[in-house]
Amino acid sequence: ALGKGSDLEKAFATVALVYNNSADPEGKLSKAETKSLLQTQFWGFIQGQENKPKYQEIISALDEELENKIDFEDFMILLVSLTLMSDLLQEIKNVKTTK
């Protein structure tokens, strides 16, 4: 659908597709499913974060109250939060590309 879209549009479309492919018919993920999705699809950003208090807080919240589900908006907030604290983001910031 976004074959001619910008890189940023394609990135967000990919996030939406990955989320939708994992979500239930109501468009939500259980917290356990969310944790699994992060571990399989977002590993580069969460790798090495295990000892950071904020990461532990986020993951602990996913381990509690398993009956609660996460919608796409909450999932995006979670991705942004994890991205901002990741070591990979710092590496990316140090790379300059030219086109």
Side-chain angles (χ1 to χ4, degrees), residues 49-63:
Q49 305 305 301
E50 297 84 1
N51 295 324
K52 292 185 178 180
K54 186 65 179 170
Y55 175 82
Q56 290 175 346
E57 180 183 324
I58 289 170
I59 295 303
S60 292
L62 292 177
D63 287 335

Side-chain angles (χ1 to χ4, degrees), residues 1 4 8 10 13-15 31 33 38 40-41 48-49 57 60-61 67-68 73 78-79 82 84 90 98:
K4 294 183 180 180
L8 192 56
K10 289 176 187 175
T14 299
V15 171
K31 289 186 175 186
E33 291 167 328
L38 291 172
T40 59
Q41 294 287 326
Q49 305 305 301
E57 180 183 324
S60 292
E67 69 278 357
N68 289 344
E73 181 178 309
L78 182 62
L79 284 183
L82 291 170
L84 290 173
Q90 295 308 311
T98 57

Side-chain angles (χ1 to χ4, degrees), residues 67-85:
E67 69 278 357
N68 289 344
K69 294 194 173 189
I70 292 177
D71 61 17
F72 183 68
E73 181 178 309
D74 289 336
F75 183 74
M76 290 300 291
I77 292 168
L78 182 62
L79 284 183
V80 169
S81 298
L82 291 170
T83 300
L84 290 173
M85 73 174 80

Side-chain angles (χ1 to χ4, degrees), residues 6-21:
S6 72
D7 290 344
L8 192 56
E9 289 171 325
K10 289 176 187 175
F12 273 87
T14 299
V15 171
L17 285 170
V18 169
Y19 179 89
N20 286 337
N21 286 337

Side-chain angles (χ1 to χ4, degrees), residues 15-51:
V15 171
L17 285 170
V18 169
Y19 179 89
N20 286 337
N21 286 337
S22 300
D24 66 16
E26 296 175 351
K28 295 185 177 186
L29 291 174
S30 73
K31 289 186 175 186
E33 291 167 328
T34 301
K35 184 177 177 181
S36 176
L37 188 60
L38 291 172
Q39 290 170 332
T40 59
Q41 294 287 326
F42 211 60
W43 177 246
F45 282 93
I46 63 174
Q47 185 176 355
Q49 305 305 301
E50 297 84 1
N51 295 324

